[in-house]
Coordinates of all heavy atoms in Angstrom, one line a residue:
V375 N 94.0 87.7 108.1 CA 94.8 86.8 108.9 C 95.3 87.6 110.2 O 95.2 87.1 111.3 CB 96.0 86.2 108.1 CG1 97.0 85.6 109.1 CG2 95.5 85.3 107.1
L376 N 95.8 88.8 109.9 CA 96.3 89.6 111.1 C 95.2 89.9 112.0 O 95.4 90.0 113.2 CB 97.0 90.8 110.5 CG 98.2 90.6 109.7 CD1 98.7 91.9 109.1 CD2 99.3 89.9 110.5
R377 N 94.0 90.2 111.5 CA 92.8 90.5 112.4 C 92.5 89.3 113.3 O 92.3 89.5 114.5 CB 91.6 90.8 111.5 CG 90.4 91.3 112.4 CD 89.1 91.2 111.6 NE 88.8 89.8 111.2 CZ 88.2 89.0 112.1 NH1 87.9 89.4 113.3 NH2 87.8 87.8 111.7
V378 N 92.6 88.2 112.7 CA 92.3 87.0 113.6 C 93.4 86.8 114.6 O 93.1 86.5 115.8 CB 92.3 85.7 112.7 CG1 92.2 84.4 113.5 CG2 91.1 85.8 111.7
L379 N 94.7 87.0 114.3 CA 95.7 86.9 115.3 C 95.6 87.9 116.4 O 95.9 87.6 117.6 CB 97.1 87.1 114.6 CG 97.5 86.1 113.5 CD1 98.9 86.4 113.0 CD2 97.4 84.7 114.1
L380 N 95.0 89.1 116.1 CA 94.8 90.1 117.1 C 93.6 89.7 118.1 O 93.5 90.3 119.1 CB 94.5 91.4 116.5 CG 95.7 92.1 115.8 CD1 95.2 93.3 115.0 CD2 96.7 92.6 116.8
N381 N 92.9 88.7 117.7 CA 91.8 88.2 118.6 C 92.4 87.4 119.8 O 91.7 87.2 120.8 CB 90.9 87.3 117.9 CG 89.9 88.1 117.0 OD1 89.7 89.3 117.2 ND2 89.4 87.4 115.9
Y382 N 93.6 86.9 119.7 CA 94.2 86.1 120.8 C 94.6 87.0 121.9 O 95.5 87.8 121.7 CB 95.3 85.2 120.2 CG 94.9 84.4 119.1 CD1 95.8 84.1 118.0 CD2 93.7 83.8 119.0 CE1 95.5 83.3 117.0 CE2 93.3 83.0 117.9 CZ 94.2 82.7 116.9 OH 93.8 81.9 115.9
E383 N 94.1 86.9 123.1 CA 94.3 87.8 124.2 C 94.0 87.1 125.5 O 93.3 86.1 125.5 CB 93.5 89.1 124.0 CG 92.0 88.8 123.9 CD 91.3 90.1 123.5 OE1 91.8 91.2 123.7 OE2 90.1 89.9 123.1
T384 N 94.5 87.7 126.5 CA 94.0 87.4 127.9 C 93.1 88.5 128.3 O 92.7 89.4 127.5 CB 95.2 87.4 128.9 OG1 95.7 88.7 129.0 CG2 96.3 86.5 128.3
N385 N 92.7 88.5 129.6 CA 91.8 89.6 130.1 C 92.6 90.9 130.2 O 92.0 92.0 130.3 CB 91.3 89.2 131.5 CG 90.3 88.1 131.4 OD1 89.6 87.8 130.4 ND2 90.2 87.3 132.5
E386 N 93.9 90.8 130.2 CA 94.7 92.0 130.4 C 95.4 92.5 129.1 O 95.7 93.7 129.0 CB 95.8 91.8 131.4 CG 95.2 91.6 132.8 CD 94.8 90.2 133.1 OE1 95.4 89.3 132.4 OE2 93.9 89.9 133.9
F387 N 95.8 91.6 128.2 CA 96.6 92.1 127.1 C 96.5 91.2 125.8 O 96.0 90.1 125.9 CB 98.1 92.1 127.5 CG 98.6 90.8 128.0 CD1 99.1 89.8 127.1 CD2 98.7 90.5 129.3 CE1 99.6 88.6 127.5 CE2 99.2 89.3 129.8 CZ 99.7 88.4 128.9
K388 N 96.9 91.8 124.7 CA 96.9 91.0 123.4 C 98.2 90.2 123.4 O 99.3 90.6 123.9 CB 97.0 92.0 122.3 CG 95.7 92.9 122.2 CD 94.5 92.2 121.6 CE 93.4 93.1 121.4 NZ 92.2 92.4 120.9
L389 N 98.1 89.0 122.8 CA 99.3 88.1 122.7 C 100.3 88.5 121.7 O 101.4 88.2 121.7 CB 98.8 86.7 122.5 CG 98.0 86.1 123.6 CD1 97.6 84.6 123.3 CD2 98.7 86.1 124.9
L390 N 99.8 89.2 120.6 CA 100.6 89.7 119.5 C 100.6 91.2 119.5 O 99.6 91.8 119.4 CB 100.2 89.1 118.2 CG 101.0 89.5 116.9 CD1 102.4 89.0 117.0 CD2 100.3 89.1 115.6
Q391 N 101.8 91.8 119.5 CA 102.0 93.2 119.3 C 102.3 93.4 117.8 O 103.4 93.1 117.4 CB 103.0 93.8 120.2 CG 102.9 93.4 121.7 CD 101.5 93.5 122.2 OE1 100.9 94.6 122.1 NE2 100.9 92.4 122.7
L392 N 101.3 93.9 117.1 CA 101.5 94.1 115.6 C 101.8 95.6 115.3 O 101.0 96.4 115.6 CB 100.2 93.6 114.9 CG 100.2 93.7 113.4 CD1 101.3 92.9 112.7 CD2 98.8 93.3 112.9
V393 N 102.9 95.8 114.6 CA 103.2 97.2 114.2 C 103.3 97.2 112.7 O 104.0 96.5 112.0 CB 104.6 97.6 114.8 CG1 105.0 99.0 114.3 CG2 104.7 97.5 116.3
L394 N 102.4 98.0 112.1 CA 102.3 98.2 110.7 C 102.9 99.6 110.3 O 102.5 100.6 110.7 CB 100.9 98.1 110.2 CG 100.1 96.8 110.5 CD1 98.7 96.9 109.9 CD2 100.9 95.6 110.0
L395 N 104.0 99.5 109.5 CA 104.6 100.7 108.9 C 104.2 100.8 107.4 O 104.5 99.9 106.7 CB 106.1 100.7 109.0 CG 106.6 100.6 110.5 CD1 108.2 100.6 110.4 CD2 106.1 101.7 111.4
A396 N 103.6 101.9 107.0 CA 103.0 101.9 105.7 C 102.9 103.3 105.1 O 102.9 104.3 105.8 CB 101.6 101.2 105.7
Q397 N 102.8 103.3 103.8 CA 102.4 104.5 103.1 C 100.9 104.7 103.3 O 100.1 103.8 103.8 CB 102.7 104.4 101.6 CG 104.2 104.3 101.4 CD 104.6 104.0 99.9 OE1 103.8 104.4 99.0 NE2 105.7 103.3 99.7
L398 N 100.4 105.9 103.0 CA 99.0 106.3 103.3 C 98.0 105.4 102.5 O 96.8 105.4 102.9 CB 98.8 107.8 103.0 CG 99.6 108.7 103.8 CD1 99.4 110.2 103.3 CD2 99.2 108.6 105.3
E399 N 98.4 104.7 101.5 CA 97.5 103.8 100.7 C 96.9 102.7 101.6 O 96.0 102.1 101.2 CB 98.2 103.2 99.5 CG 98.8 104.2 98.5 CD 100.2 104.5 98.8 OE1 100.5 105.3 99.6 OE2 101.1 103.9 98.1
L400 N 97.5 102.5 102.8 CA 97.0 101.4 103.6 C 95.6 101.8 104.2 O 94.8 101.0 104.5 CB 98.0 101.1 104.8 CG 97.5 100.1 105.8 CD1 97.4 98.7 105.2 CD2 98.5 100.0 107.0
L401 N 95.4 103.1 104.4 CA 94.2 103.6 105.1 C 92.9 103.2 104.5 O 92.0 102.7 105.2 CB 94.3 105.1 105.2 CG 95.0 105.7 106.4 CD1 94.9 107.2 106.4 CD2 94.5 105.2 107.7
P402 N 92.8 103.3 103.1 CA 91.5 102.8 102.5 C 91.3 101.3 102.7 O 90.1 100.9 102.9 CB 91.7 103.1 101.0 CG 92.7 104.2 101.0 CD 93.6 104.0 102.1
K403 N 92.3 100.5 102.7 CA 92.2 99.1 103.0 C 91.7 98.8 104.4 O 90.8 98.0 104.6 CB 93.5 98.4 102.8 CG 94.0 98.4 101.3 CD 95.3 97.6 101.2 CE 95.9 97.6 99.8 NZ 97.1 96.8 99.7
I404 N 92.2 99.6 105.3 CA 91.8 99.4 106.7 C 90.3 99.9 106.9 O 89.5 99.2 107.6 CB 92.7 100.1 107.7 CG1 94.1 99.4 107.7 CG2 92.2 100.1 109.1 CD1 95.1 100.0 108.6
R405 N 90.0 101.0 106.3 CA 88.7 101.5 106.4 C 87.6 100.5 105.9 O 86.5 100.5 106.4 CB 88.5 102.8 105.6 CG 89.3 104.0 106.3 CD 88.9 105.3 105.7 NE 89.7 106.4 106.2 CZ 90.6 107.1 105.5 NH1 90.8 106.7 104.2 NH2 91.3 108.1 106.0
E406 N 88.0 99.7 104.9 CA 87.0 98.7 104.4 C 86.8 97.5 105.4 O 85.9 96.8 105.2 CB 87.6 98.2 103.1 CG 87.6 99.2 101.9 CD 88.2 98.6 100.6 OE1 88.5 97.4 100.6 OE2 88.4 99.4 99.7
M407 N 87.7 97.4 106.4 CA 87.6 96.3 107.3 C 87.3 96.9 108.7 O 88.3 97.2 109.5 CB 88.9 95.5 107.3 CG 89.2 94.9 106.0 SD 90.8 94.0 106.0 CE 90.4 92.7 107.2
K408 N 86.1 97.2 109.0 CA 85.7 97.9 110.3 C 86.2 97.1 111.5 O 86.7 97.6 112.5 CB 84.2 98.1 110.4 CG 83.8 98.9 111.6 CD 82.3 99.1 111.6 CE 81.8 99.9 112.7 NZ 82.1 99.3 114.0
N409 N 86.2 95.7 111.4 CA 86.6 94.9 112.5 C 88.1 94.9 112.7 O 88.6 94.6 113.8 CB 86.1 93.5 112.3 CG 86.4 92.9 111.0 OD1 87.1 93.5 110.2 ND2 85.9 91.7 110.7
L410 N 88.9 95.3 111.7 CA 90.3 95.6 111.9 C 90.6 97.0 112.3 O 91.4 97.2 113.2 CB 91.1 95.3 110.6 CG 92.6 95.5 110.6 CD1 93.2 94.6 111.7 CD2 93.2 95.3 109.3
R411 N 89.9 97.9 111.7 CA 90.0 99.3 112.1 C 89.8 99.6 113.6 O 90.5 100.3 114.2 CB 89.1 100.2 111.2 CG 89.2 101.7 111.4 CD 88.1 102.4 110.6 NE 86.8 102.1 111.2 CZ 85.7 102.2 110.5 NH1 85.7 102.6 109.2 NH2 84.5 102.0 111.0
D412 N 88.8 98.9 114.1 CA 88.4 99.1 115.5 C 89.5 98.5 116.4 O 89.4 98.8 117.6 CB 87.1 98.4 115.8 CG 85.9 99.1 115.1 OD1 86.1 100.3 114.7 OD2 84.8 98.5 115.0
R413 N 90.4 97.7 115.9 CA 91.4 97.1 116.8 C 92.7 98.0 116.8 O 93.6 97.6 117.5 CB 91.8 95.7 116.2 CG 90.7 94.7 116.6 CD 91.0 93.4 115.9 NE 90.1 92.3 116.4 CZ 88.8 92.2 116.2 NH1 88.2 93.1 115.4 NH2 88.1 91.2 116.7
I414 N 92.7 99.1 116.1 CA 93.9 100.0 116.1 C 94.0 100.7 117.4 O 93.1 101.4 117.8 CB 93.8 101.0 115.0 CG1 93.9 100.3 113.6 CG2 95.0 102.0 115.1 CD1 93.7 101.3 112.4
S415 N 95.1 100.4 118.1 CA 95.3 101.0 119.4 C 96.0 102.4 119.3 O 95.8 103.3 120.0 CB 96.1 100.1 120.3 OG 96.4 100.7 121.6

Side-chain angles (χ1 to χ4, degrees):
V375 168
L376 295 174
R377 184 196 68 80
V378 172
L379 296 184
L380 289 168
N381 285 339
Y382 303 145
E383 59 189 340
T384 69
N385 292 333
E386 293 84 26
F387 57 84
K388 299 284 187 181
L389 295 181
L390 178 66
Q391 309 315 305
L392 178 61
V393 180
L394 302 182
L395 302 180
Q397 296 171 28
L398 295 174
E399 298 95 279
L400 178 66
L401 276 181
K403 295 182 178 182
I404 291 179
R405 290 194 185 108
E406 292 176 7
M407 302 177 63
K408 185 177 183 299
N409 49 6
L410 177 62
R411 184 184 67 204
D412 291 345
R413 283 168 171 75
I414 297 175
S415 177

